[in-house]
Amino acid sequence: MTAADDKKSEELMSLCKRRGFIWPSYELYGGIAGMYDYGPLGFSLRNNIVEVWRDIYKGREGFTEIDTETVNPREVFKASGHLDKFADKITYCTKCGAPFRADHLVKEFYSNPDTMSEKDLDQAFLDHNVVCPDCGGKLGPVEDFNLMFRTNIGPGSSRVGYLRPETAQGIFVNFLNLYRYNREKLPFGVLQTGRGYRNEIAPRQGMIRMREFNMMEVELFVDPEDKTWSRFDEMKDEKLTLLPNTGDETVEMTVGEAVAKHVVANEVLGYFVGTTKQFLVRLGVDPARLRFRQHRKEEMAHYAKDCWDAEALLSYGWTEITGIADRGCWDLTRHSEFSGADLSHFKRFDTPREEEVEKVKPNRKSLGPAFKGQSKAVAAAVEQAKPEDVKDGRLTVTVDGKPVELGSEMFTVIKTKEKVNGERIIPNVIEPSHGLDRIFYTVLEHAYSHDDAKDYTVLHLKPEVAPVKLGVFPLMEKDNLDVLAKQICASVHTARAAAVYDGSGTIGKRYARMDEAGTPWCITVDYDSLSGPQKDTVTIRDRDTAAQKRIAVKDVPQILDDLLTGRRQFTDL
RNA sequence: GCGGUUGUAGUCCAGUGGUUAUGACGGAAGCUUCCCAAGCUCCUGACCCGGGUUCGAGUCCCGGCAACCGCACCA
């Protein structure tokens, strides 16, 4: 991070506070690290980002959106693995009270201390005479410091709950509902936006690591044996900058090439890496400062089989803003195990198969006399056995916990034909997961420009995401100029396309305010608007070029609409 | 969490232990036919929190909180 980068992030943060994009939370009471509030402009920008995301995933892809609880019972995270894996082992010095990562204190003695249990670590302290690095005091018992916020559901402490660290689990626990809603067909996609919580030990870098943060997650349920994507052809020419985990060099290739060369594992993953690029660029992320980096094996989350991060180059360095993970069958398998529910998909074959199956059949005539009263249980055990269990003509089964060896006269291996209509499979999950706050910050940083010579700041936000679409000014706030300006402003202002009236200060100052807020266009009512040959016309100014055109007052709503939807460009006016 | 740096109006910054804390920008009211942060008048607004030292603390000391940088962490 250079001094210029420092300056840039500080100037941007100052602008964000001044203009009302974001404010550090609870500043009144001294502030809390890793928490930020969204001001009027910031919330609007954030909502616009979410709308673009919806347009792509609900609109183009036809996925469905749900909203689930942020407080989850303990069982959910026991099953998801977060309770065990999303924790650090921590110990406190009994003398000075300083906390330490227990696994870090013993890393010189063991190859992978992060897999050790609390008891192993306690013992390791004794075996290797590990004491407090600060004061030399005795270390206390090793505990789990879970990064999830814990709470109680209802009075007392009987039902333990946690604030979710990701929205994904709310989708997985609703799998059966969603599966039925989607007519029991694969693939289908579900999206959810909302808050997640991680009790970070040391939040850093402004909005990049927050304790309470916003996500936009998409969970895509696919057939594990069919990771093709029907609309892949539409995506195959999208260009990507990739950083595979096989080397340190970035490579430029299209989605189609990346999948063909197995750089990206399959079509689904490739399609959504491409989609993510389109999404981010549409928001205003600079393609030259965007790359996709594949996770190294040891870096992968406990649930992930493969993962590509979209990384943006910020003043903080390359920063993950979206992760596209292949979670495999981890989540559904685990929830199935822990809940006892069948979370599989019945995959019907195109035509039922006649399958020849080998089975072990008990020979009851021989079993009866040999085992008498026990023979029924033995026969049942034989029916459970598989042909490959037969060794040297003999079969060993377990009855009432004891092994029973049977001679070849006790059973027969037969071949039968069965009609099989399909098979049960656990769907795989592909997850494009977007860090909304990080994307928000990236959009701001990539839109930010500062002219050092003029000391002039412009946010080049894309009109689609800009919080305010139009500024409307009277040249002077008198002689009825203000009346017309207010009328024009009211005629176009809506909740989605905000127009702002400003009559305060000089005209240049008002343009400057709007440039700093990222407003793409401004309209000014002057004396020519009221009388003379140009009566009933106003000027419209383009933020990025400062160019002006004269347009008729009556055309303002239509022109603004055309500019916003991209039907017309400013230069065509 | 460790080490370093730093906390003064909305923002940026000045301030030898000693009156009512300097200024700029911003914001507000007004004047000026004012199209790119122009000028003028007037107003607004701050010493992060808690202890301590002292006759007296924005200033010195201790603790806390917060920010920035490096290390560590970041499923």
Side-chain angles (χ1 to χ4, degrees), chain A residues 39-103:
Chain A
L41 289 185
F43 186 51
S44 186
L45 170 59
R46 199 186 88 191
N47 281 338
N48 293 341
I49 291 171
V50 174
E51 283 306 317
V52 174
W53 173 74
R54 285 202 175 102
D55 186 52
I56 290 173
Y57 285 99
K58 270 178 102 168
R60 187 177 89 186
E61 301 300 331
F63 298 166
T64 52
E65 182 175 8
I66 65 167
D67 182 59
T68 68
E69 294 278 339
T70 57
V71 175
N72 291 219
R74 185 175 181 278
E75 293 86 333
V76 172
F77 298 120
K78 189 72 193 163
S80 74
H82 287 90
L83 212 47
D84 299 319
K85 301 260 177 68
F86 193 55
D88 291 332
K89 297 279 184 279
I90 200 160
T91 180
Y92 297 89
C93 172
T94 55
K95 199 170 149 197
C96 70
F100 299 98
R101 284 281 302 268
D103 49 331

Side-chain angles (χ1 to χ4, degrees), chain A residues 207-221:
Chain A
M207 305 191 72
I208 300 307
R209 286 182 67 193
M210 290 167 67
R211 289 195 162 114
E212 179 171 344
F213 57 101
N214 295 279
M215 283 167 279
M216 298 179 288
E217 294 197 300
V218 182
E219 307 299 332
L220 190 61
F221 297 92

Side-chain angles (χ1 to χ4, degrees), chain A residues 120 207 290 401:
Chain A
D120 291 345
M207 305 191 72
L290 176 65

Side-chain angles (χ1 to χ4, degrees), chain A residues 200 396 465:
Chain A
E200 298 283 354
T396 304
V465 296

